[in-house]
Amino acid sequence: PRAAVSIGRDRLDAAALAGHSVVLEGRFQPEKTIFIDNRTHRGVAGFHVMTPVTIPGSEWQVMVLRGWVAANPRERTRLPEIRTPDGPVRVSGTVEPDLGRALELKASSPPGPGDRLWQNFDAARYEAWAGVRLQAFVVRQSAGTAVDDGLVREWRSVAGDVDKHRGYAAQWLAMALASAVVIVVLALGLRRGDRPH
């Protein structure tokens, strides 16, 4: 495996780092935490928690997808309190150039100053909302990071998703072949039925 890249002061190429392990040292900005709605874990509704990290001496912040937290079952839009370290932290994770998006039936209006519940993460919109400059990627925090915040970091394996989609493709191919065989058999049967006896 490749060694983890240390994120420092400079602007980095998101495409070159995609899927790569990274480490960064800085401070979380808890007042700029947002919650991404409609994210489930083992069938339970909740939120993904995202907080930017300030890197000392850098003009660029790094957005960290910290983990998952359950929603209040009685009041879904009530945001939970998240424990965030107030001192220097060392975060390890994986670079994600773009996060998957939930379907939005209509374009959402720009969030207000106190709006911390979002349907999807949009970097440009977040920069305008939080007054920060972000690196062009998100770091998905790894489970091994020693940050006691109570968040769940059991991320789905990308390899597992690939295997699942290959399985779906094989099923569709088998169905298509079966349909083709049925059509050919029926066509041959009709042609034989048209012949004079």
Side-chain angles (χ1 to χ4, degrees), residues 152-181:
V152 176
R153 284 182 276 273
E154 294 178 6
W155 306 115
R156 285 187 310 177
S157 165
V158 174
D161 285 348
V162 170
D163 290 341
K164 179 178 71 175
H165 291 305
R166 284 180 178 154
Y168 289 154
Q171 288 177 354
W172 280 107
L173 178 61
M175 289 172 55
L177 290 173
S179 298
V181 168

Side-chain angles (χ1 to χ4, degrees), residues 22-24 28 64-66 85 89-94 139-149 151 153 155:
V22 294
V23 294
L24 59 137
F28 280 118
V64 176
L65 174 54
R66 296 171 59 191
V89 293
R90 179 181 173 87
V91 176
S92 61
T94 305
V139 172
R140 186 184 296 266
Q141 188 172 342
S142 64
T145 301
V147 176
D148 181 21
D149 52 19
L151 298 175
R153 284 182 276 273
W155 306 115

Side-chain angles (χ1 to χ4, degrees), residues 27-30 32-34 50-54 61-64 66 126 130 132 134:
R27 288 178 180 265
F28 280 118
Q29 298 185 55
K32 295 177 181 176
T33 294
I34 60 171
M50 303 185 72
T51 306
V53 170
T54 301
Q61 318 270 326
V62 178
M63 181 57 86
V64 176
R66 296 171 59 191
Y126 181 85
V132 299
L134 293 175

Side-chain angles (χ1 to χ4, degrees), residues 26-106:
R27 288 178 180 265
F28 280 118
Q29 298 185 55
E31 72 282 1
K32 295 177 181 176
T33 294
I34 60 171
F35 297 80
I36 309 301
D37 201 4
N38 297 318
R39 299 303 190 263
T40 59
H41 175 70
R42 297 186 180 182
V44 178
F47 314 104
H48 277 171
V49 179
M50 303 185 72
T51 306
V53 170
T54 301
I55 307 295
S58 176
E59 62 179 313
W60 304 102
Q61 318 270 326
V62 178
M63 181 57 86
V64 176
L65 174 54
R66 296 171 59 191
W68 176 91
V69 64
N72 186 319
R74 296 185 204 86
E75 193 177 346
R76 192 186 60 78
T77 58
R78 182 178 179 181
L79 300 179
E81 292 294 325
I82 303 298
R83 296 193 305 271
T84 302
D86 58 4
V89 293
R90 179 181 173 87
V91 176
S92 61
T94 305
V95 168
E96 305 267 349
D98 190 28
L99 296 178
R101 298 177 63 85
L103 177 66
E104 294 186 68
L105 297 179
K106 63 175 182 175

